[in-house]
Amino acid sequence: RVLSVPGLGLQQNKDTVFFRDGVRRIDFILSYLDDKDGEKKQERRREFEANLKKAGLELETEDKSDSDDLKTYFLKIHAPWEVLATYADVLKIKVPFKESDIPHGQDVPLEWLSRPFRLPEKVMRPQPDYFTSPFDKDKIDFFLIKNQDTFFPPSTRNRIVYYILSRCPYHKEDRKETDKKGIKRLLNNGTYTSAFPLHDCRYWERNTNEQCESERYHLYKNWARFLCFYKEQPLNLIRKYYGEKIGIYFAWLGFYTEMLFFAAVMGVICFTYGVLSYDDNLTSKEICDPSIGGRTVMCPLCDKKCSYWKLNSTCLSSWQSHLFDNEGTVFFAMFMGIWVTLFLEFWKRRQAQLEYEWDLVDFEEEQQQLQIRPEFETKCTDQRLNRITQEMEPYLPLPKKCGRFCLSGVTVLFWMLLIVACITGVIVYRLAVYAAFASIMKDSPTKKIHLVGSLITPQLATSVTASFINFVIIMILNFFYERVAIWITDMEIPKTHLEYENKLTMKMFLFQFVNYYSSCFYVAFFKGKFVGYPGNYTYMFGKYSRLRNEECDPGGCLIELTTQLVIVMTGKQVCGNIQEALLPLLRNWWCSRKARKDQYSRWEQDHDLQNFSQLGLFYEYLEMVIQFGFITLFVASFPLAPLLALCNNILEVRVDAWKFTTQFRRPVAAKAHNIGAWQEILNVVAILSVVTNAFIMAFTSDMIPRLVYLYAYHPGSEATMSGYINNSLSVYDISQIPLLSTPEEGAIPAWFNSSFITTCRYRDYRYPPGHQRQYSHTMQFWHILAAKLAFIIIMEHVVFVVKFFVAWLIPDVPSEVKARIKRERYLIQEYLHNYEVEKLKIQLSQSFIIEPKPEVCTATDKHHVLSECL
């Protein structure tokens, strides 16, 4: 290393993760600005740094004159072996004591087929498998300690240092201000501007120091580049570098993407069946047939502005509807109900395997996660005795807690009602603008509009524009509510970080559920269901509002639900990828240019990156869970949804990997043995998806009415679908249409002759005019309704029985993992027993030799100083 020498032009290489001596490793970095009027901040820093030194940490400061902006000071922190060993004992960190003798598994047949998708063994397994045991400082010789400097990996080192930083006080010894402690408080009040561990190298090149593993470089080369999209993920290296919490997220995302492949294949098969059976669709042929659909006059779809129209004008939409509304859709909906169960059950097995491999079997929530939030200590001035620790601690009285909870609930309810109001506004737009589209497209002399009108029906044009407007509203509401949700969660003052995350998770998901899915629920379960009939239409805000409830196309509402789903789902994914990839790329363009300068220090390079907040993974999970809802709740209307999700997730894995590797500071390593509250949310969505898809197939799809006609109402001896369209349309006497609903003179098309055309048709099952029960529902309507209800009950019970059977059949923990866990526990007990026996023999052999050991007192005093931070 080249050191800076006064009077010479030689300078030290700053792109390093070591102190100036080149020996002690930098475990953490604190940065701050030297404010002119910041005397209180200087005092806090002096006390804080003095207490850090008392805790055993070693510090080194980089002056602002050496920084790139000439304003920022950098405090480098190193934890020596004594501190690491003490706190590893406190935190019960598992460390290796013997290399594992359990084989990884037998060779898989046709293993050569998977070789193109594999990564090098040194990347997939950056370290050998060991039997591990909680660290005990009094049994150091029991563990495999070859080198004290490298025994604890950097992720464990920064976790230990952060544990100390989060508890170290910054008040003077003569003052017992228990609330003045922790780096988070100092970051909140501006004493320090940032706190972060260092990346081990630049992501595009290895570290020149052989003592650095250059794991960031290997992650970028083998994981974060998009050209590696077909490769497996180096989960062990991710866990080793970033910690278990981030490792679990990428393991779940990768597993979810793998399982999507099977759903996407089945969806493509279902869609292909719709394409291949295109020419066998008698229903669409009858609609498009000039002698059937061309002679069928339909009743107006809106008052005054809409006129009579011919059935064959919906020819194209009926063909489009058949692609998704066919016999294969029923099978696919049931398949997806079972697929969800398989996904969740196999993930539990995969999670159990990771728990074993990553030493999380006996994991309990760390004190780091359960520690009291600084905000709770600051805002809660009341104190009470903790029954466990017998120490006074801050608490929030019940009346204040109830008041804050009620205010939070009212705020969430208000925003949900705001969503409903916005959806109602979109529905009003659909009702109001439909007449405009109908008048433009009916018989325009302009060729351009006539061409569009021949390809797009007023229903489709209204649905597409309304879907885009709804998507814009969703994004706007989402932007504001994210801030509101954080505000009301802060207002509730959760005591621990885990409680804070769970409360925010429930608020955000509840809002996102209503925000993203409400429009799809409207199209699926409300549109076209409460229309009425000519002469007695149902109006949205009463008869005088002139806003008639929407009707479905003669081919059904499923194609409109498909349109809504595609626009909202695809729009969200595109916007999310732009926000995640392009914006950070533009933001850090200048920083990446500076990062190639030799004198741009490692801590400055990381300081210029984005901070990875505690809620960083929260937004990643939320995005994927919302997508999971789209591909399960409404998948019966769009079998290609899993394919879109698969393509997005292949990109999402690499975008997230790229962000973590190149755009974010290195996060503090944290442990987690599962995906937390998201697991229960996925279970609820999985159960709800069975119900929604059963109702979509029964009430939104036209499948049940077609089957009832085919097997019960077809007039001929041979069961065919010929005549279905005529059977599904009821008749109404034009002369009985009320004046309020009669089309205007200018809206009536030229082909309509009132002297020859005396009736119009509408989509329903009612008796014709002149019948003694005219315009009341026929028996076929009640038969179809009974068939729909029967289908819902049968489908739900079949899918639920299969789900619960599969869940019972597949154990949550693989038998091999159970055997490995028992084997490891047995070996730990055996080796500990042998160790204690050998240690006792040595003590007995030396029992008659008395040697003074003055250093014991020093070690005890040192341990006492370190424990002051707890």
Side-chain angles (χ1 to χ4, degrees), residues 477-744:
L477 290 176
N478 186 47
F479 174 80
F480 286 106
Y481 183 77
E482 281 187 7
R483 287 149 181 80
V484 173
I486 294 175
W487 175 74
I488 60 179
T489 306
D490 290 337
M491 182 193 63
E492 292 180 10
I493 320 180
K495 184 176 181 179
T496 65
H497 295 290
L498 188 62
E499 184 182 351
Y500 183 91
E501 288 185 10
N502 290 339
K503 287 188 174 184
L504 183 61
T505 297
M506 295 309 299
K507 289 183 180 67
M508 283 297 296
F509 178 75
L510 195 60
F511 173 83
Q512 298 278 20
F513 184 90
V514 178
N515 195 22
Y516 280 104
Y517 303 145
S518 56
S519 58
C520 293
F521 271 100
Y522 164 73
V523 176
F525 306 122
F526 294 98
K527 182 179 178 181
K529 308 300 185 295
F530 311 100
V531 178
Y533 61 92
N536 189 24
Y537 282 117
T538 304
Y539 292 81
M540 186 172 183
F541 299 112
K543 189 172 184 179
Y544 294 99
S545 66
R546 302 179 66 179
L547 293 175
R548 258 170 53 184
N549 287 350
E550 286 185 282
E551 297 183 43
C552 293
D553 275 331
C557 270
L558 198 69
I559 188 63
E560 293 192 41
L561 178 59
T562 303
T563 304
Q564 180 78 24
L565 183 64
V566 170
I567 291 176
V568 175
M569 179 180 174
T570 306
K572 183 185 183 304
Q573 292 181 349
V574 171
C575 291
N577 288 329
I578 291 176
Q579 184 179 1
E580 289 186 4
L582 295 183
L583 295 183
L585 189 62
L586 294 175
R587 177 186 178 276
N588 292 297
W589 174 72
W590 174 248
C591 295
S592 64
R593 290 182 61 192
K594 294 196 298 180
R596 294 184 179 275
K597 298 179 181 179
D598 292 335
Q599 295 307 315
Y600 192 42
S601 64
R602 161 69 22 226
W603 42 91
E604 286 183 278
Q605 293 177 40
D606 288 5
H607 179 264
D608 289 339
L609 297 177
Q610 298 181 63
N611 180 44
F612 183 77
S613 67
Q614 186 182 8
L615 298 177
L617 283 181
F618 166 81
Y619 294 105
E620 303 296 339
Y621 276 118
L622 180 63
E623 179 185 1
M624 288 295 101
V625 171
I626 292 296
Q627 182 205 82
F628 180 80
F630 277 123
I631 68 164
T632 54
L633 294 174
F634 308 102
V635 73
S637 65
F638 187 47
L640 295 180
L643 179 62
L644 292 181
L646 175 64
C647 296
N648 174 81
N649 286 11
I650 291 175
L651 179 64
E652 181 74 21
V653 171
R654 303 304 160 178
V655 168
D656 287 349
W658 173 78
K659 286 192 307 180
F660 274 91
T661 309
T662 66
Q663 303 300 303
F664 285 140
R665 297 171 186 165
R666 185 173 184 173
V668 178
K671 282 186 174 291
H673 68 294
N674 55 35
I675 60 176
W678 299 108
Q679 182 75 38
E680 296 303 321
I681 291 176
L682 291 175
N683 290 332
V684 172
V685 172
I687 294 174
L688 185 60
S689 66
V690 178
V691 180
T692 56
N693 283 301
F695 272 85
I696 287 173
M697 294 308 303
F699 288 98
T700 309
S701 168
D702 211 30
M703 180 62 60
I704 302 300
R706 289 201 298 263
L707 292 176
V708 170
Y709 173 81
L710 181 64
Y711 294 108
Y713 284 90
H714 186 268
S717 58
E718 184 180 355
T720 64
M721 290 301 297
S722 60
Y724 169 74
I725 288 297
N726 182 64
N727 176 265
S728 65
L729 298 176
S730 299
V731 181
Y732 193 82
D733 189 350
I734 291 178
S735 62
Q736 296 179 4
I737 295 180
L739 184 62
L740 183 65
S741 302
T742 303
E744 297 176 348

